[in-house]
C-alpha cells in the first residue's frame, strides 16, 4: 500500500495576520476511499516549526456490500480518473471496470485491506445517462457487484459571435454552437450586462440601433468550464433585411416581365437596397442585382415565349454589403407565345433525290404547337417561280435535277405565325465527286473525329452521322474547329457512317466520309442464311446469302470454310480449311474431296476472332451415282409429262377430233337433175335456200358396166355426163336446217368420183313407181366414219315424195332407216 503526500505553500501577508485563512485541496481519490490527514507547519524567515497533525478525515468503514466512489462526478474527456471500491470486512475483491471500455483497461491498485482503486484514462464521452463503474466481489461466498455513475464530457467551445438587426428595433446575436458536451446539464448562455433572451445559438434583445457602435459579450458555461465571446459593431451597419413579400407580375409579355413586391418593415423604404431575382428554370435569364432606395420592382428580359417560370427575390442594404435576406416565397408566371425559332436544316443526296431534313424544335424553341413546315426551293440560277410544299414532319424528299444547284428555304408555323426561313444550298452532283469511306474506331462511348482544315470553310464544319444500315436517322452537328468528340447515344455493335463537310457561303463541301463501330461486338452464331452446297466433280461449293449490315456487329475481314470427314474417329479427325479476305464474297469451294460424309463449317473473320459459325453435314457421291440420279430423275419427268398429256387428250378428245378431223359437208343435188335430160349440176350450200334440199340419190350399178376410175361405162343412149359440183370448204359446218342422219359414211362415187355422205331419204315425186327400194337393216360395223359403203348391184334407193311438190327435204331420221333395204348400197343408175 502506498501513502501519497501533497505539499502546498500558503503565503500570509502582514495585513492578514490574525485573520482566518482558507486553503483548498482536491485529492486524486475520493475522500470515502481512505483516510486523509492535514499536517500544518509555520515558516517565518529561516524558522520552520515542527509539523503537527491538525485533523484526519477517515474513509468509508463498515459497508454492507461493495461501494464505489466517487459517485455522479463530472469528468472531462481525456482526463485521468481514479475510482475506488470499498469492501465490507471479510469480502474478497474480484474485478473493477467501466462499462463501454475493455475490462482490461486501467490500473487496479489495493489501497488497504478493504479498498481497491481503478485508475483509467477517460477517452470517450459518456451517454446522457452517464457511464457506469462496476466493482465485482465475493461477499459471504456469494458473487455480487455494485457501482457508481460518472459523467464524461466536454467544456463549452462556442465561437463566432455576431450581432445584427433585421427590423431596426431588435438586436439579434448569433454564434456557432460548439459540439455536444455529453453532460447532464445544458450549457448556460447570457449576454453580459444585458437582459437578452438566449437560446443555444441566439440571443435577442431590444436596443437603440441608432446609438452607434457597442460591444456584446456572450458567456457560455457548463460543469467543466466557461467560454466568453465578444462582438463590437454599429447595428445600422449590420442590417439583415427580411425577405420581400407579395411578389407578383404587373406586366407579362413574350420575352420580358415586370415583377413587384412589398416590404414588411416600412423603414426599408428609406434604405438604399440591392435586390436580385432567382429564375427557374435557369439559363433564360441571368440574374443581375438592381439597386435603389426602397427598391420594390425588377424587370426580367430575354425570357422564352410560351414558357412557365418560377421566381424568388432576395435583398440587402447597398452601403455596407450586409448579408442577403432570405428568399421570398416563390411566384409562378407564364409568358405569351411567339413565332417559332429558326430551324436547323441539313440535307442528304441520293441518286436523283435530295432529302431535306431539320431538327424538331424543342419545347423552348417552338413557342407553341408547330402546325406544319413549308419548304420552298428554286434553282440558284434563273428567275423561275419558286416551288413550295407543306409537310407536317421534319423531312421532305425533293425529286430534282441533281446536276443543278438549288436554294431551299424551310419555315415552321404555329398559331402565332411562321419562323424566319432557314436556307441551305444543295450542291450539284458534279461538284460532290466520289469520296472513299475510311474506317474509324470508337472509344469511350463515342467517336473522336479530327480532320484537316479546309480553306473553303468560312463558317465552320458540319459533321453528320447515321446507322449504316439505313440513313433514316440522320444527326448532325455544326462545329467551329477541326476536331470533335461525338457521344450521342451510340449503340455498341451498330455500324455508323459519318461525313464531314465544310460550311461555305454556297453549298456545303463534302470533305471526308468515315464508318465504324463505337465498340465492335462478337457476331452471334448462325450468321449465314440459306447455306447451300453444290458438288462439282470432286469439289463442293458452299454458298450463302449476302450478310446484311444489321447482322454485322463487327467489321467482317473475310470468311473461313472448314471441313472434316464425319466418319473418322474424333481423336483422328483431320480438319481442312480454305479462306478468303474478300468481305463481299458469298461462296467458298472445298477441293479434291473423296466420297463420304463431311461436316462443313463457315465462319466470319473479325478483329474479335472467328465468329458467326454455321455447320452443315453433306454426303459427297461419286460421278456414277450422280449420273444414275440424273437419268432416273429425267425418266420420271418424261413419264409424268406423257401421263399428263394422255389425261388431257382423253378428257378433251371430242374437241381435239373436231379440230383435227372436222366433219365434211354433204353435197346437195336439186330434184331437177333427176327429171331433166339436159346438163345437171350439184349444188352444195351451207344453209337452206328457196328450193327444197334433198340428199344425193344412191346410184345403181348394172351388171356388166365397167368402172374406169371416176366414170362408169354405159351404153351411149343411157349415159349422162356427171353434174358440175360446187363444194364448200372442208372446214365449213354442215348446212343448217338439215337434220343429220343416224348413219353417215364417206364413199368414192364410182361414176362421179365424189366423196359423198349417205343420208336416209325418200324418193322424189314422180319416181315412186319407177324404183322400188327394199328395206334392210344396216350393219353397225359399217357405220364408222371412214368406212366405204358396200356396193349392191341390184337395187337403188329412190327418194320418196313429200308434201312439197317442188323439192324433197328429208327430215325424219326414223323414216330414212325404214326406206332402205340394205345399209349403204352403191348401185348403177341410168335415166330412161
Amino acid at each position: 500500500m502506498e501513502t501519497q503526500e501533497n505539499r502546498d505553500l500558503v503565503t500570509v501577508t502582514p495585513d492578514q495576520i490574525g485573520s482566518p485563512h482558507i486553503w483548498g485541496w482536491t485529492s486524486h481519490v475520493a475522500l470515502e476511499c481512505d483516510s486523509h490527514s492535514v499536517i500544518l507547519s509555520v515558516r517565518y524567515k529561516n524558522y520552520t516549526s515542527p509539523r503537527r497533525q491538525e485533523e484526519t478525515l477517515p474513509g468509508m468503514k463498515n459497508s454492507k456490500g461493495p461501494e464505489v466512489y466517487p459517485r455522479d462526478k463530472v469528468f472531462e474527456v481525456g482526463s485521468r480518473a481514479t475510482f475506488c471500491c470499498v469492501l465490507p470486512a471479510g469480502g474478497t475483491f474480484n474485478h473493477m471496470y467501466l462499462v463501454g471500455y475493455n475490462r482490461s483497461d486501467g490500473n487496479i491498485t489495493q489501497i488497504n485491506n478493504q479498498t481497491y482503486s481503478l485508475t483509467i484514462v477517460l477517452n470517450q464521452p459518456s451517454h446522457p445517462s452517464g457511464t457506469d463503474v462496476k466493482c465485482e466481489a465475493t461477499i459471504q461466498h456469494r458473487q455480487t457487484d455494485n457501482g457508481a455513475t460518472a459523467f464524461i464530457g466536454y467544456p463549452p467551445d462556442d465561437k463566432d459571435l455576431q450581432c445584427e438587426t433585421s427590423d431596426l428595433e431588435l438586436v439579434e446575436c448569433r454564434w456557432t454552437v460548439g459540439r455536444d458536451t455529453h453532460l447532464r446539464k445544458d450549457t448556460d448562455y447570457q449576454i453580459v450586462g444585458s437582459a437578452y433572451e438566449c437560446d443555444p445559438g441566439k440571443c435577442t434583445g431590444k436596443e437603440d440601433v441608432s446609438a452607434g457602435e457597442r460591444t456584446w459579450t456572450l458567456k457560455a458555461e457548463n460543469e467543466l468550464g466557461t467560454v466568453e465571446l465578444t462582438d463590437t459593431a454599429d447595428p445600422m451597419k449590420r442590417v439583415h433585411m427580411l425577405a420581400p413579400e407579395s411578389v407578383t407580375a404587373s406586366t407579362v409579355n413574350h420575352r420580358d416581365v415586370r415583377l413587384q413586391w412589398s416590404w414588411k418593415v416600412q423603414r426599408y423604404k428609406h434604405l438604399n437596397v440591392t435586390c436580385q431575382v432567382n429564375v427557374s428554370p435557369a439559363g433564360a435569364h441571368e440574374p443581375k442585382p438592381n439597386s435603389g432606395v426602397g427598391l420594390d420592382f425588377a424587370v426580367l428580359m430575354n425570357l422564352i415565349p410560351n414558357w412557365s417560370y418560377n421566381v424568388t427575390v432576395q435583398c440587402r442594404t447597398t452601403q455596407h454589403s450586409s448579408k442577403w435576406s432570405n428568399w421570398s416565397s416563390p411566384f409562378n408566371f407564364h409568358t405569351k407565345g411567339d413565332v417559332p425559332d429558326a430551324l436547323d436544316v441539313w440535307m442528304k443526296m441520293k441518286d436523283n433525290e435530295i432529302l431535306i431534313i431539320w431538327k424538331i424544335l424543342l419545347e423552348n424553341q417552338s413557342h407553341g404547337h408547330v402546325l406544319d413546315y413549308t419548304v420552298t426551293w428554286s434553282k440558284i440560277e434563273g428567275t423561275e417561280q419558286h416551288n413550295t410544299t407543306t409537310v407536317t414532319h421534319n423531312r421532305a424528299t425533293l425529286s430534282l435535277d441533281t446536276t443543278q444547284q438549288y436554294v431551299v428555304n424551310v419555315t415552321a408555323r404555329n398559331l402565332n405565325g411562321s419562323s424566319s426561313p432557314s436556307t441551305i444550298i444543295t450542291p450539284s452532283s458534279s461538284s460532290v465527286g466520289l469520296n472513299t469511306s475510311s474506317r474509324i474506331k470508337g472509344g469511350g462511348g463515342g467517336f473522336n473525329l479530327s480532320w484537316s482544315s479546309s480553306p473553303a470553310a468560312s463558317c465552320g464544319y458540319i459533321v453528320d452521322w447515321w446507322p449504316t444500315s439505313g440513313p433514316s436517322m440522320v444527326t448532325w452537328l455544326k462545329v467551329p474547329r477541326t476536331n470533335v468528340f461525338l457521344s450521342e447515344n451510340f449503340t455498341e455493335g451498330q455500324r455508323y457512317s459519318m461525313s464531314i463537310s465544310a460550311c461555305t457561303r454556297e453549298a456545303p463541301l463534302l470533305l471526308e466520309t468515315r464508318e465504324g463501330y463505337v465498340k465492335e461486338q462478337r457476331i452471334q452464331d448462325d450468321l449465314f442464311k440459306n447455306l447451300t452446297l453444290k458438288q462439282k466433280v470432286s469439289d463442293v461449293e458452299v454458298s450463302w446469302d449476302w450478310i446484311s449490315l444489321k447482322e454485322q456487329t463487327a467489321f467482317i475481314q473475310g470468311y473461313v470454310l472448314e471441313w472434316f470427314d464425319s466418319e473418322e474417329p474424333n481423336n483422328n479427325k483431320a480438319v481442312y480449311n480454305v479462306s478468303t479476305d474478300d468481305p463481299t464474297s458469298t461462296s467458298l469451294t472445298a477441293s479434291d474431296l473423296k466420297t463420304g460424309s463431311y461436316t462443313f463449317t463457315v465462319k466470319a473473320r473479325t478483329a474479335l476472332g472467328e465468329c458467326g459459325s454455321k455447320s452443315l453435314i453433306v454426303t459427297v457421291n461419286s460421278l456414277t451415282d450422280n449420273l444414275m440420279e440424273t437419268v432416273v430423275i429425267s425418266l420420271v419427268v418424261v413419264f409424268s409429262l406423257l401421263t399428263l398429256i394422255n389425261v388431257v387428250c382423253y378428257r378433251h378428245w371430242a374437241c381435239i377430233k373436231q379440230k383435227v378431223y372436222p366433219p365434211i359437208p354433204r353435197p346437195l343435188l336439186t330434184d331437177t337433175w333427176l327429171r331433166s335430160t339436159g346438163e345437171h349440176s350439184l349444188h352444195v350450200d351451207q344453209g337452206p335456200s328457196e328450193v327444197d334440199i334433198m340428199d344425193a340419190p344412191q346410184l345403181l350399178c348394172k351388171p356388166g358396166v365397167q368402172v374406169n376410175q371416176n366414170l362408169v361405162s354405159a351404153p351411149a343412149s343411157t349415159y349422162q355426163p356427171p353434174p358440175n359440183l360446187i363444194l364448200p370448204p372442208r372446214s365449213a359446218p354442215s348446212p343448217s336446217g338439215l337434220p343429220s342422219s343416224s348413219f353417215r359414211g364417206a364413199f368414192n362415187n364410182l361414176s362421179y368420183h365424189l366423196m359423198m355422205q349417205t343420208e336416209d331419204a325418200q324418193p322424189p315425186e314422180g319416181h315412186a313407181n319407177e324404183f322400188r327400194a327394199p328395206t334392210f337393216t344396216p350393219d353397225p360395223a359399217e357405220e364408222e366414219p371412214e368406212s366405204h359403203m358396200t356396193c349392191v348391184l341390184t337395187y337403188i334407193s329412190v327418194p320418196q315424195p313429200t308434201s312439197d311438190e317442188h323439192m324433197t327435204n328429208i327430215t325424219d331420221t326414223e323414216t330414212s332407216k325404214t326406206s332402205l333395204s340394205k345399209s349403204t348400197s352403191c348401185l348403177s343408175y341410168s335415166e330412161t
Side-chain angles (χ1 to χ4, degrees):
M1 295 182 292
E2 282 186 22
T3 299
Q4 292 187 358
E5 185 177 298
N6 183 60
R7 294 177 181 271
D8 201 1
L9 179 64
V10 178
T11 301
V12 180
T13 62
D15 60 335
Q16 293 177 338
I17 297 175
S19 62
H21 303 284
I22 299 174
W23 171 77
W25 169 72
T26 301
S27 174
H28 71 286
V29 296
L31 298 179
E32 294 86 355
C33 297
D34 200 0
S35 298
H36 291 79
S37 299
V38 177
I39 301 175
L40 296 177
S41 66
V42 178
R43 188 176 67 181
Y44 179 73
K45 295 183 179 180
N46 294 328
Y47 173 76
T48 301
S49 68
R51 295 190 300 172
R52 67 171 183 259
Q53 184 172 343
E54 296 290 337
E55 187 176 357
T56 298
L57 297 176
M60 184 66 183
K61 303 291 184 182
N62 302 321
S63 63
K64 294 181 180 180
E67 300 288 343
V68 179
Y69 300 98
R71 295 178 177 176
D72 300 332
K73 187 175 180 179
V74 178
F75 298 92
E76 185 177 352
V77 175
S79 63
R80 184 184 294 272
T82 300
F83 302 92
C84 68
C85 179
V86 180
L87 303 178
T92 303
F93 176 81
N94 293 335
H95 193 59
M96 192 175 183
Y97 61 94
L98 267 70
V99 177
Y101 290 74
N102 293 331
R103 293 174 65 92
S104 59
D105 290 347
N107 185 24
I108 298 176
T109 304
Q110 184 178 1
I111 298 177
N112 54 44
N113 293 333
Q114 294 176 283
T115 304
Y116 293 83
S117 66
L118 170 65
T119 301
I120 188 172
V121 177
L122 306 174
N123 54 15
Q124 56 185 354
S126 61
H127 296 289
S129 59
T131 300
D132 293 335
V133 183
K134 294 285 188 178
C135 178
E136 296 176 349
T138 302
I139 308 298
Q140 296 180 357
H141 307 290
R142 290 190 307 172
Q143 296 286 338
T144 185
D145 61 3
N146 201 356
T149 301
F151 295 93
I152 307 168
Y154 301 97
D157 64 343
D158 301 73
K159 55 186 177 182
D160 300 332
L161 175 66
Q162 187 178 58
C163 298
E164 60 191 14
T165 181
S166 294
D167 58 1
L168 305 180
E169 294 180 358
L170 295 177
V171 174
E172 186 178 85
C173 294
R174 293 180 179 273
W175 65 91
T176 302
V177 178
R179 60 192 169 189
D180 185 6
T181 61
H182 294 276
L183 301 180
R184 292 173 296 175
K185 298 180 180 179
D186 295 332
T187 302
D188 180 63
Y189 298 98
Q190 62 176 335
I191 298 295
V192 179
S194 300
Y196 280 42
E197 295 180 0
C198 296
D199 292 319
K202 181 178 75 171
C203 290
T204 304
K206 196 166 185 178
E207 293 274 1
D208 182 8
V209 297
S210 61
E213 188 177 277
R214 65 153 296 176
T215 299
W216 296 272
T217 300
L218 173 68
K219 183 179 181 181
E221 183 179 9
N222 67 8
E223 296 172 286
L224 293 177
T226 300
V227 171
E228 288 188 355
L229 306 175
T230 60
D231 181 36
T232 301
D234 182 355
M236 289 302 295
K237 296 180 181 179
R238 294 273 188 90
V239 179
H240 186 195
M241 299 184 67
L242 299 177
E245 295 182 336
S246 304
V247 180
T248 185
S250 59
T251 305
V252 178
N253 296 318
H254 303 93
R255 300 178 185 271
D256 59 79
V257 65
R258 178 186 173 93
L259 299 177
Q260 285 186 325
W261 58 85
S262 62
W263 298 111
K264 182 178 182 180
V265 179
Q266 297 301 313
R267 294 178 64 179
Y268 287 172
K269 295 181 179 180
H270 306 289
L271 299 178
N272 193 359
V273 178
T274 299
C275 297
Q276 66 180 7
V277 181
N278 180 49
V279 181
S280 178
H285 173 78
E286 295 293 335
K288 295 181 179 179
N290 298 320
S291 299
V293 177
L295 185 66
D296 61 356
F297 74 92
V299 178
L300 304 181
M301 306 293 292
N302 301 323
L303 300 178
I304 303 173
N306 192 42
W307 200 252
S308 295
Y309 286 94
N310 176 285
V311 295
T312 54
V313 184
Q314 65 175 182
C315 300
R316 70 179 182 183
T317 58
T318 304
Q319 293 178 346
H320 307 291
S321 299
S322 56
K323 294 190 298 185
W324 288 99
S325 70
N326 294 330
W327 290 102
S328 66
S329 299
F331 171 70
N332 300 316
F333 65 90
H334 193 90
T335 55
K336 295 181 180 180
D338 200 358
V339 297
D341 292 347
L343 297 168
D344 185 359
V345 180
W346 185 234
M347 63 90 199
K348 298 296 291 182
M349 299 179 62
K350 183 179 180 181
D351 299 331
N352 292 327
E353 293 183 341
I354 300 177
L355 175 64
I356 306 298
I357 52 179
W358 52 91
K359 292 182 180 179
I360 297 177
L361 294 174
L362 301 177
E363 190 175 355
N364 61 347
Q365 298 172 327
S366 62
H367 313 322
H369 176 66
V370 175
L371 301 176
D372 52 45
Y373 303 91
T374 301
V375 182
T376 304
W377 69 94
S378 63
K379 287 185 179 181
I380 197 171
E381 298 178 354
T383 59
E384 66 178 24
Q385 185 177 2
H386 293 186
N387 300 288
T388 300
T389 183
T390 301
V391 296
T392 57
H393 42 275
N394 67 324
R395 61 186 55 221
T397 301
L398 307 180
S399 298
L400 303 175
D401 181 6
T402 55
T403 61
Q404 299 289 329
Q405 286 187 329
Y406 291 84
V407 178
V408 181
N409 294 318
V410 185
T411 59
R413 184 178 68 90
N414 63 11
L415 293 175
N416 301 294
S418 298
S419 66
S420 57
S422 298
T423 303
I424 189 171
I425 300 177
T426 64
S428 63
S429 57
S430 59
S431 64
V432 173
L434 298 177
N435 205 313
T436 304
S437 178
S438 60
R439 291 185 178 181
I440 183 173
K441 185 176 182 181
F447 295 96
N448 191 7
L449 295 177
S450 61
W451 57 93
S452 301
S453 61
S454 172
S458 59
C459 51
Y461 301 88
I462 301 101
V463 180
D464 61 342
W465 61 95
W466 63 92
T468 307
S469 56
S472 58
M473 299 294 294
V474 181
T475 308
W476 64 95
L477 181 67
K478 297 181 179 179
V479 295
R481 299 176 299 275
T482 58
N483 59 80
V484 66
F485 182 76
L486 305 178
S487 60
E488 188 174 337
N489 300 325
F490 289 105
T491 302
E492 295 182 358
Q494 170 73 59
R495 187 186 299 186
Y496 291 91
S497 296
M498 289 153 276
S499 68
I500 302 167
S501 303
C503 177
T504 68
R505 298 180 183 275
E506 302 296 331
L509 177 62
L510 179 63
L511 301 178
E512 298 180 18
T513 59
R514 312 273 181 88
E515 66 176 10
Y517 298 84
V518 67
K519 184 179 181 181
E520 292 183 282
Q521 290 187 338
R522 187 175 181 83
I523 300 177
Q524 299 295 323
D525 290 342
D526 200 21
L527 171 67
F528 301 92
K529 307 302 181 184
N530 295 330
L531 198 63
T532 59
L533 294 95
K534 183 178 181 181
Q535 182 178 350
K536 300 178 181 179
V537 192
S538 61
D539 300 341
V540 173
E541 181 186 44
V542 180
S543 58
W544 56 89
D545 290 347
W546 182 81
I547 299 173
S548 65
L549 292 175
K550 289 184 178 181
E551 297 175 304
Q552 298 183 33
T553 57
F555 281 117
I556 295 179
Q557 302 172 354
Y559 302 96
V560 177
L561 173 63
E562 295 181 350
W563 69 91
F564 58 86
D565 193 339
S566 304
E567 298 175 353
E568 292 184 358
N570 293 332
N571 57 357
N572 194 29
K573 285 184 178 180
V575 180
Y576 305 92
N577 66 78
V578 64
S579 62
T580 179
D581 295 332
D582 182 8
T584 62
S585 178
T586 58
S587 66
L588 284 171
T589 302
S591 304
D592 300 329
L593 300 179
K594 299 179 181 179
T595 59
S597 178
Y598 290 87
T599 299
F600 292 91
T601 302
V602 186
K603 301 178 183 179
R605 294 194 311 181
T606 67
L608 304 177
E610 296 178 354
C611 49
S613 62
K614 185 173 183 179
S615 299
L616 189 65
I617 299 176
V618 65
T619 299
V620 177
N621 300 319
S622 65
L623 295 177
T624 304
D625 296 338
N626 293 338
L627 180 59
M628 290 294 295
E629 181 180 355
T630 303
V631 171
V632 171
I633 293 176
S634 301
L635 291 176
V636 170
V637 170
V638 171
F639 178 77
S640 300
L641 290 176
L642 292 176
T643 302
L644 180 61
I645 292 173
N646 288 334
V647 171
V648 171
C649 292
Y650 176 77
R651 298 187 62 180
H652 301 278
W653 175 246
C655 179
I656 294 173
K657 180 180 177 182
Q658 179 72 18
K659 296 295 183 181
V660 178
Y661 301 104
I664 299 173
R666 297 187 302 268
L668 301 178
L669 302 178
T670 59
D671 56 351
T672 56
W673 175 76
L674 297 177
R675 294 192 296 263
S676 65
T677 59
E679 183 179 357
H680 301 279
S681 63
L682 175 64
H683 297 274
V684 179
D685 197 357
Q686 294 181 353
S689 61
E690 295 180 356
V691 294
D692 291 335
I693 300 173
M694 59 170 287
D695 284 344
Q698 298 183 13
L699 303 179
L700 303 178
C701 296
K702 291 184 178 181
V705 178
Q706 273 188 327
V707 178
N708 183 12
Q709 296 180 351
N710 297 332
L711 300 177
V712 179
S713 299
S717 60
T718 61
Y719 174 77
Q720 295 292 333
N724 295 328
L725 300 180
I726 301 174
L727 299 177
R730 291 181 57 88
S731 59
S734 300
S736 60
L738 293 179
S740 60
S741 173
S742 60
F743 172 82
R744 291 179 181 269
F747 66 94
N748 289 324
N749 190 307
L750 300 182
S751 299
Y752 301 100
H753 193 62
L754 296 176
M755 293 298 296
M756 301 182 64
Q757 293 180 340
T758 60
E759 184 71 19
D760 297 334
Q762 296 295 330
E765 184 179 358
H767 297 273
N769 297 326
E770 297 179 16
F771 303 96
R772 293 287 183 178
T775 301
F776 66 94
T777 302
D779 188 0
E782 295 177 355
E783 293 184 5
E784 293 299 327
E786 299 298 330
S787 62
H788 295 285
M789 299 178 62
T790 304
C791 185
V792 180
L793 302 179
T794 307
Y795 306 100
I796 182 172
S797 176
V798 179
Q800 299 295 323
T802 62
S803 60
D804 194 336
E805 296 179 356
H806 300 286
M807 300 294 293
T808 301
N809 186 7
I810 306 301
T811 59
D812 192 349
T813 304
E814 294 299 327
T815 307
S816 301
K817 291 181 180 180
T818 57
S819 63
L820 299 176
S821 59
K822 286 189 178 181
S823 174
T824 320
S825 299
C826 181
L827 303 177
S828 177
Y829 168 78
S830 61
E831 192 178 60
T832 58

